Amino acid sequence: MCKIAYNTIHLTRKGKMISRTIKILYISLLPLAILQCKPAKTKLQDARKPNIVLINIDDLGYKDLGFMGSEYYETPNLDAFAKEGMVFYNAYAGAANCAPSRACLISGLNTPRHGVYTVSPSDRGDIKTRKLIPIKNTAHLNDTIFTLPQMLKSAGYTTASFGKWHIGKDLNKQGIDYNIGGSEKGHPGNGGYFSPYKIDHITNGKKGEYLTDRLTDEAIHYINKNKDTTFFIYMPYYTVHTPIMGKEDLVTKFKSKKGQNGQNRPDYAAMVYAMDQNVGRLLDALKQNGLEENTLVIFTSDNGGIRSISEQNPLRAGKGSYYEGGIRVPLVIKWPGKIRPNSTSTATVSNLDFYPTLQHITNPKEKANLLDGINLEPILYGEQPVARNLYFHFPIYLQKYNQLNDQGRDPLFRTRPGSVIISGEWKLHEYFEDGALELYNLNTDIGEKNNLAKQNPAKIKELYEQLNRWRKQTKAPIPTTVNEAYDPSANH
């Protein structure tokens, strides 16, 4: 019933004279009201499960978007989208690089439970510079793991993925009904952003066709064809992962623009802009098919950006590091009628939280018995978040890009074996090679420049005990075997 009818009923209770006047007004405006007011939703419509679109950009940095503070990159579609949903300012990936982060998202399990720590192998970097033998890496999610797409299929969803899967060879076995471009491959290959393509499960387009455009075309076709179903669309674009390749006209556009705050590469800016254009196209397809009001959209990145390509100041380091630049990511969630537009949250959240949230919303017949994240619904609906800890475990080595110092702990590795806990404003790093501890207050030192470990022994003890308890609960493996080939002089 539209508002004018509601007011009529309410006001007729106040007296006969007012009642008569309002009734006359109601009758005179009735035809107009019928034209302007939307029909009331039926119980069936109210009970319908939302479509879900999960957009996961590859290697997009925390501040690589206009609404997150970039003054160089241009993201008008995503800036508008951010105003329609909730922006999270303390959102984290489950891990600092591609494969483990995606494994966390799709499984809902932290790294010790699935064993995917990096892109194989785990003994990265010069053997002479590694003090320990790293824990052996698991390349892909085990097919026995009950994945997010499998859970959603149990809830009645059709499932599709367009882009980089990276955590298994056969997406059908992991819950994806329809797949374009996804396999165990982690990047599009040298020159691979333009057709002819070098990824699997995609046909070549016209010569020069841009991969980001093509994946969006495929997703839009899927939406048009399946608009009468309840669907889950996973959009793990290959962009903005290396090789850095933008469309020529967009590269030219940004060559004439002055860089700002460590963000100044026209070719990378062109990739970000094309990504934004295509996310806009995808969102428009939902609107054009009348699906926007009943679709939950999540936009995020799988890990931090590569610092040598795009700096995320004041965050320290970048992809592959467990300093903030490697794990803090952009996150926006939109769900019309459920999430207040133009809202923000400073709650500490993770991509591990997507699975339990969607499981609670969709109420599948078959549910995951064990999940490491939390249900975000109270936060999405405006309630105060409860205190929680985030844990990261990385018992392996990841060498630096081209041996360049990206503000990591040393000039050779983005990460040496260790674990991290974030608890409120505090963050503790532990390194297994030498037992070193680093403590930072993220409220006052988001750049992790001032190690407060010596000044706060009580906080160190508290966080270390919580971290150690979590490792025991998850059976997190810690490397202890000494590498006999280690040469201290090779570290200089």
Side-chain angles (χ1 to χ4, degrees):
M1 186 176 293
C2 58
K3 188 175 182 181
I4 190 169
Y6 174 83
N7 288 341
T8 300
I9 295 171
H10 178 72
L11 292 172
T12 53
R13 296 174 181 171
K14 294 188 178 292
K16 293 182 179 179
M17 184 64 69
I18 296 176
S19 173
R20 186 178 299 114
T21 302
I22 297 301
K23 283 180 180 177
I24 293 171
L25 179 63
Y26 177 79
I27 294 170
S28 64
L29 294 180
L30 183 58
L32 181 60
I34 291 172
L35 288 173
Q36 291 184 342
C37 294
K38 295 180 180 179
K41 288 185 177 180
T42 66
K43 291 183 179 180
L44 181 62
Q45 287 173 314
D46 286 335
R48 184 183 173 193
K49 296 176 182 180
N51 298 308
I52 299 166
V53 177
L54 174 47
I55 304 168
N56 192 19
I57 307 301
D58 198 351
D59 293 356
L60 182 72
Y62 178 75
K63 298 188 71 175
D64 284 348
L65 301 153
F67 70 88
M68 292 301 290
S70 177
E71 297 179 356
Y72 181 58
Y73 308 128
E74 297 178 13
T75 55
N77 292 293
L78 282 163
D79 294 349
F81 171 70
K83 293 179 180 179
E84 297 172 344
M86 177 176 284
V87 178
F88 291 80
Y89 292 109
N90 290 318
Y92 290 85
N97 57 327
C98 307
S101 171
R102 290 161 189 267
C104 290
L105 186 157
I106 294 297
S107 70
L109 302 173
N110 211 321
T111 52
R113 299 198 198 273
H114 56 64
V116 180
Y117 295 111
T118 188
V119 181
S120 290
S122 60
D123 52 350
R124 307 276 286 273
D126 186 346
I127 188 172
K128 294 181 179 181
T129 61
R130 303 191 302 262
K131 288 185 179 181
L132 300 173
I133 302 296
I135 298 299
K136 187 177 180 180
N137 186 55
T138 301
H140 303 135
L141 282 181
N142 192 298
D143 286 344
T144 61
I145 291 176
F146 187 58
T147 66
L148 171 64
Q150 288 172 327
M151 179 274 290
L152 291 173
K153 282 172 65 67
S154 177
Y157 283 72
T158 60
T159 61
S161 178
F162 302 89
K164 173 177 169 177
W165 185 249
H166 200 36
I167 50 176
K169 296 182 179 181
D170 189 343
L171 279 65
N172 293 126
K173 291 182 178 179
Q174 295 179 302
I176 295 297
D177 297 323
Y178 186 75
N179 165 42
I180 297 292
S183 67
E184 72 271 26
K185 291 184 178 179
H187 60 82
N190 187 29
Y193 277 106
F194 294 96
S195 183
Y197 302 120
K198 300 177 181 179
I199 56 175
D200 301 319
H201 306 297
I202 192 170
T203 58
N204 289 321
K206 294 181 179 178
K207 185 177 181 180
E209 177 187 68
Y210 197 54
L211 178 59
T212 309
D213 295 342
R214 170 62 178 281
L215 292 174
T216 306
D217 290 343
E218 296 282 357
I220 290 173
H221 175 74
Y222 183 87
I223 290 171
N224 293 340
K225 186 177 179 180
N226 293 274
K227 60 184 177 182
D228 295 325
T229 68
T230 304
F231 57 74
F232 167 64
I233 292 178
Y234 183 41
M235 289 297 304
Y237 286 105
Y238 282 91
T239 201
V240 289
H241 194 289
T242 54
I244 304 303
M245 299 180 67
K247 296 181 183 178
E248 187 176 345
D249 59 328
L250 295 180
V251 174
T252 300
K253 166 184 168 67
F254 286 96
K255 280 183 178 178
S256 61
K257 186 173 183 178
K258 184 179 179 181
Q260 297 284 339
N261 197 25
Q263 298 181 338
N264 52 26
R265 282 189 57 165
D267 51 355
Y268 183 76
M271 293 185 80
V272 172
Y273 191 81
M275 176 271 295
D276 178 81
Q277 288 180 314
N278 279 284
V279 171
R281 291 175 57 216
L282 187 67
L283 298 175
D284 283 343
L286 295 173
K287 293 178 183 178
Q288 292 167 8
N289 281 283
L291 301 173
E292 180 184 18
E293 295 301 311
N294 194 46
T295 300
L296 189 162
V297 181
I298 301 172
F299 174 90
T300 192
S301 173
D302 65 343
N303 47 249
I306 300 173
R307 184 173 177 82
S308 63
I309 294 173
S310 178
E311 296 182 10
Q312 306 300 310
N313 300 321
L315 304 187
R316 181 175 175 179
K319 176 183 177 180
S321 168
Y322 283 82
Y323 292 115
E324 292 293 286
I327 53 178
R328 194 180 285 227
V329 294
L331 173 63
V332 183
I333 304 179
K334 174 188 173 182
W335 190 7
K338 297 286 188 178
I339 299 173
R340 183 168 59 86
N342 206 25
S343 57
T344 61
S345 175
T346 56
T348 301
V349 301
S350 164
N351 72 5
L352 285 163
D353 301 331
F354 300 161
Y355 196 141
T357 302
L358 296 177
Q359 179 167 272
H360 191 267
I361 288 171
T362 60
N363 191 28
K365 294 179 181 179
E366 185 178 358
K367 298 181 180 180
N369 295 321
L370 175 65
L371 294 171
D372 284 319
I374 65 171
N375 179 10
L376 296 177
E377 283 185 278
I379 299 171
L380 297 177
Y381 306 152
E383 298 179 20
Q384 289 296 320
V386 297
R388 55 91 66 98
N389 295 340
L390 289 185
Y391 299 94
F392 304 88
H393 187 63
F394 199 77
I396 65 175
Y397 290 86
L398 194 58
Q399 80 281 13
K400 285 284 180 67
Y401 287 109
N402 300 320
Q403 305 299 310
L404 295 176
N405 190 342
D406 67 350
Q407 297 188 341
R409 189 167 178 251
D410 65 64
L412 299 179
F413 291 91
R414 283 177 276 168
T415 298
R416 291 178 183 263
S419 292
V420 170
I421 176 176
I422 297 176
S423 181
E425 65 194 48
W426 294 99
K427 182 177 181 183
L428 176 70
H429 298 252
E430 179 189 7
Y431 294 97
F432 301 141
E433 282 189 331
D434 54 10
L437 299 172
E438 295 178 5
L439 179 69
Y440 301 100
N441 186 310
L442 296 179
N443 280 359
T444 59
D445 181 26
I446 196 174
E448 297 171 279
K449 295 179 180 179
N450 302 306
N451 183 3
L452 302 176
K454 292 182 180 180
Q455 297 95 311
N456 293 272
K459 181 58 67 174
I460 285 284
K461 182 175 184 295
E462 173 194 339
L463 295 183
Y464 182 79
E465 288 177 352
Q466 293 179 34
L467 179 58
N468 206 38
R469 189 180 308 121
W470 173 80
R471 284 194 297 238
K472 289 179 180 178
Q473 291 172 347
T474 59
K475 299 180 180 179
I478 297 176
T480 57
T481 304
V482 174
N483 173 24
E484 295 182 357
Y486 174 69
D487 179 1
S489 65
N491 283 282
H492 302 288

